[in-house]
Amino acid sequence: MSATLAMAMAMHHLQLLKPSPTLARPLSAPLLFSTPYAERLRSVSTLSVRCSKSDEPAQAAQSQSIVGDLLDYLNESWTQFHATAEAKKQLLAAGFHLLNEDEEWDLKPGGRYFFTRNMSSLIAFAVGEKYTLGCGFHVIAAHTDSPCPKLKPRSASSKSGYLMMNVQTYGAGLWHTWFDRDLSVAGRAIVRTNDGSFLHKLVKVERPLLRVPTLAIHLDRAVNTDGFKPNLETHLVPLLGKKHEAACTKSDESSRSFSSKTAHHPLLLQVLSDQLGCSSDEIVSLELNICDTQPSCLGGGNDEFIFSGRLDNLASSFCALRALVDSCKQPVDLSDEHAIRMVALFDNEEVGSGSMQGAGAPTMFQAVRRIINCLAQEYVGEDGFERAIRQSFLVSADMAHGVHPNYSDKHEEHHRPELQKGMVIKHNANQRYATSGVTAFLFKEVARIHDIPTQEFVVRNDMGCGSTIGPILASGVGIRTVDCGIPQLSMHSVREMCGKEDIDTAYQHFKAFYSSFSSVDKKLSVDY
């Protein structure tokens, strides 16, 4: 082979390996992708489906997929605040009416409504055209928060010539996965305006801003044998930059009048003020998460997986929201419905739900009572609310533990949920999950009617069992509840994964629940 020919073949091989211009777009650009992920996903549908043009059912399934829209949602929703804001935007675009908890509500059968609390939780609902007093609520509940480091109220520190940012751990994260990642900040700020009022603004710095570097193996020879055991107070401290006075020259002295003027580095405040379009001294309060900048994407040899942060539990949140929107798009969708279809997205599940915006607060049931009173157009006593609760059903949707191929013995032998095999119904005799034989049957019967697969999970007797919002909500007022979830791997890692098909399966199951539960429930008699 001539040297010229060898060089030409080598150049051709390198050209094939070159990433596409779209995927190579720098993260510091205003958008993570030049086109929405859903649009890019549709453009390669023939590759991801692996079907011929004559394979109409497969093509139809692909055209109905919500996976691309989920990826867009994940890439927008770095924090619980952004997830709620994105949900709000989608509901408004779908024709839902925004309510204010501080004002009187004017509701009508056939109407679609929602409200937010703390801009980190959300309740949305659609009223059946045939609703009458005492009819039930069909609810899917999920949560918007995920484990992550959060900035401490006083985050500024410096060590060995570096600007550091002190963080506190939120939830039960796999904290070792946050080391050596390209990180940034996102969350919300309170900004003072020229007239002395204050505005609530969301902020997200998309470029890599921070990093928590690991120690070189030469300085920790035993790490691969003894394990990586970082001290979360002293080792999980992100680096912001080098301690150069020049780095702060853009911040004038007025920026140091911040309410806690030494609380955060002036350099950080300057970066945030550039994003917010204000001066540093106008930022009077911050609530920020540390976030991974790597975008959510498809992965695997056949693009069968989703690789992303915050799948627990934004995947459930999005599937529930989309199912509600799509189950009442047309007026005819609610024409024969007696019940009220609802989605409830809560904050703070990862730390026990004990907050104003968590499932431990009476937010959802306060809304239920208000809806009943408003639709009755007159005072309704406890009887109306209690009758409605007896007719209601709650699907508590939180991600589930798929069997890990390298640790399959961590699962009970006969309850090993697999990715791409459908929703997982969670059982626990000690009531860590609220599922009962009755509620599991009803949820599975909906799936059976629509030919949707389901799986079941029970934790091993020699292992502890986690919990979720299901038991909290079920015990609050006695609403029938089933706990379920999309199977996933790497739960609580900075980078999680689940099956692409499971997203569409969950969406179809939730949509079937809204459209079919009333008829299924009528066929079952308990306590009569």
Side-chain angles (χ1 to χ4, degrees):
M1 183 184 294
S2 68
T4 303
L5 179 59
M7 179 63 73
M9 293 180 66
M11 292 299 292
H12 176 68
H13 181 64
L14 289 173
Q15 186 67 30
L16 290 175
L17 294 177
K18 186 182 295 183
S20 68
T22 301
L23 294 177
R25 187 182 182 94
L27 290 175
S28 57
L31 294 176
L32 290 174
F33 301 103
S34 58
T35 58
Y37 210 113
E39 186 175 323
R40 298 198 307 110
L41 188 65
R42 285 190 289 270
S43 70
V44 296
S45 61
T46 54
L47 292 177
S48 60
V49 176
R50 302 289 198 272
C51 64
S52 67
K53 290 184 178 180
S54 62
D55 192 354
E56 294 180 2
Q59 288 180 333
Q62 177 66 20
S63 65
Q64 296 169 2
S65 175
I66 66 165
V67 170
D69 294 332
L70 169 66
L71 292 170
D72 286 338
Y73 179 75
L74 290 167
N75 284 321
E76 290 294 329
S77 304
W78 280 17
T79 72
Q80 68 275 33
F81 308 118
H82 290 83
T84 304
E86 185 64 19
K88 175 182 176 180
K89 183 170 69 174
Q90 293 186 20
L91 288 167
L92 288 172
F96 281 66
H97 299 283
L98 177 62
L99 302 173
N100 188 329
E101 285 193 279
D102 298 337
E103 300 172 355
E104 288 191 22
W105 293 354
D106 180 18
L107 310 179
K108 295 178 175 60
R112 299 172 297 165
Y113 311 92
F114 76 100
F115 67 89
T116 65
R117 179 177 286 192
N118 190 52
M119 192 45 71
S120 63
S121 64
L122 178 148
I123 305 290
F125 58 95
V127 184
E129 290 277 6
K130 293 185 177 179
Y131 170 84
T132 56
L133 183 63
C135 289
F137 288 70
H138 299 163
V139 188
I140 303 176
H143 65 89
T144 59
D145 61 316
S146 301
C148 67
K150 293 176 179 279
L151 258 64
K152 291 182 176 178
R154 303 177 67 85
S155 70
S157 67
S158 60
K159 299 177 184 177
S160 304
Y162 291 96
L163 298 177
M164 314 289 288
M165 289 173 52
N166 295 321
V167 297
Q168 54 184 328
T169 55
Y170 175 84
L174 288 173
W175 301 118
H176 66 275
T177 65
W178 288 80
F179 285 72
D180 292 337
R181 301 290 301 186
D182 296 344
L183 305 174
S184 192
V185 294
R188 65 177 174 185
I190 305 298
V191 178
R192 182 192 297 111
T193 64
N194 292 333
D195 63 5
S197 61
F198 300 94
L199 293 178
H200 173 278
K201 290 189 174 184
L202 301 188
V203 62
K204 178 169 64 173
V205 181
E206 294 187 353
R207 68 181 177 90
L209 187 67
L210 307 169
R211 192 176 177 90
V212 185
T214 51
L215 185 63
I217 194 170
H218 313 83
L219 305 178
D220 187 9
R221 291 288 186 181
V223 66
N224 287 332
T225 55
D226 297 346
F228 181 46
K229 302 173 183 178
N231 182 296
L232 299 183
E233 177 64 25
T234 59
H235 298 155
L236 188 65
V237 185
L239 277 63
L240 174 64
K242 283 290 292 179
K243 190 177 180 181
H244 295 309
E245 291 298 327
C248 300
T249 55
K250 293 178 67 178
S251 300
D252 55 28
E253 288 301 316
S254 65
S255 70
R256 301 178 188 274
S257 66
F258 181 66
S259 58
S260 298
K261 60 182 178 181
T262 60
H264 306 291
H265 288 300
L267 176 58
L268 173 65
L269 294 177
Q270 186 59 54
V271 171
L272 295 174
S273 66
D274 290 344
Q275 290 286 319
L276 292 165
C278 65
S279 63
S280 297
D281 63 313
E282 291 174 334
I283 301 174
V284 298
S285 181
L286 290 172
E287 189 173 351
L288 299 179
N289 296 358
I290 304 299
C291 304
D292 184 25
T293 60
Q294 185 174 357
S296 305
C297 64
L298 296 180
N302 293 307
D303 281 341
E304 65 263 58
F305 302 126
I306 295 174
F307 298 156
S308 174
R310 307 173 304 282
L311 287 173
D312 177 17
N313 191 32
L314 292 185
S316 304
S317 297
F318 181 78
C319 290
L321 188 75
R322 183 63 173 268
L324 176 65
V325 168
D326 289 353
S327 72
C328 55
K329 268 187 175 179
Q330 306 298 328
V332 68
D333 294 333
L334 296 172
S335 60
D336 290 324
E337 181 63 84
H338 292 79
I340 294 175
R341 302 172 183 177
M342 177 179 282
V343 160
L345 307 181
F346 297 102
D347 193 4
N348 300 133
E349 186 276 343
E350 298 293 355
V351 292
S353 299
S355 67
M356 177 190 76
Q357 56 276 357
T363 311
M364 187 177 87
F365 298 114
Q366 286 176 346
V368 167
R369 193 180 296 278
R370 290 188 69 174
I371 293 167
I372 293 171
N373 291 343
C374 187
L375 290 172
Q377 298 295 323
E378 59 187 23
Y379 174 75
V380 178
E382 286 292 324
D383 180 67
F385 176 77
E386 296 299 330
R387 284 166 54 203
I389 292 298
R390 297 287 75 75
Q391 297 292 323
S392 298
F393 193 93
L394 170 69
V395 176
S396 168
D398 201 353
M399 302 296 280
H401 296 290
V403 62
H404 195 303
N406 298 333
Y407 302 90
S408 59
D409 60 335
K410 294 293 185 180
H411 275 70
E412 197 277 334
E413 182 180 2
H414 303 290
H415 299 84
R416 292 176 173 173
E418 298 180 35
L419 272 59
Q420 313 287 41
K421 294 294 182 67
M423 293 285 288
V424 178
I425 298 173
K426 306 175 184 179
H427 302 262
N428 185 260
N430 296 306
Q431 298 303 299
R432 299 294 289 171
Y433 302 126
T435 305
S436 71
V438 171
T439 61
F441 164 74
L442 289 168
F443 194 59
K444 287 189 291 185
E445 183 65 8
V446 168
R448 186 193 66 79
I449 292 171
H450 293 267
D451 197 24
I452 297 171
T454 59
Q455 308 179 79
E456 294 181 291
F457 171 78
V458 175
V459 73
R460 289 172 56 108
N461 289 330
D462 55 0
M463 295 181 64
C465 181
S467 191
T468 182
I469 60 178
I472 296 172
L473 294 169
S475 61
V477 295
I479 187 173
R480 295 176 297 171
T481 301
V482 62
D483 273 301
C484 65
I486 301 167
Q488 72 163 103
L489 298 176
S490 303
M491 185 179 287
H492 288 195
S493 171
V494 70
R495 197 76 177 165
E496 302 171 324
M497 66 179 288
C498 71
K500 181 177 72 174
E501 291 179 12
D502 286 326
I503 298 301
D504 289 325
T505 300
Y507 160 70
Q508 294 294 345
H509 199 154
F510 292 161
K511 191 176 176 183
F513 166 72
Y514 284 131
S515 64
S516 303
F517 185 80
S518 292
S519 60
V520 171
D521 195 29
K522 289 178 181 178
K523 299 177 183 179
L524 176 66
S525 296
V526 180
D527 297 332
Y528 297 116

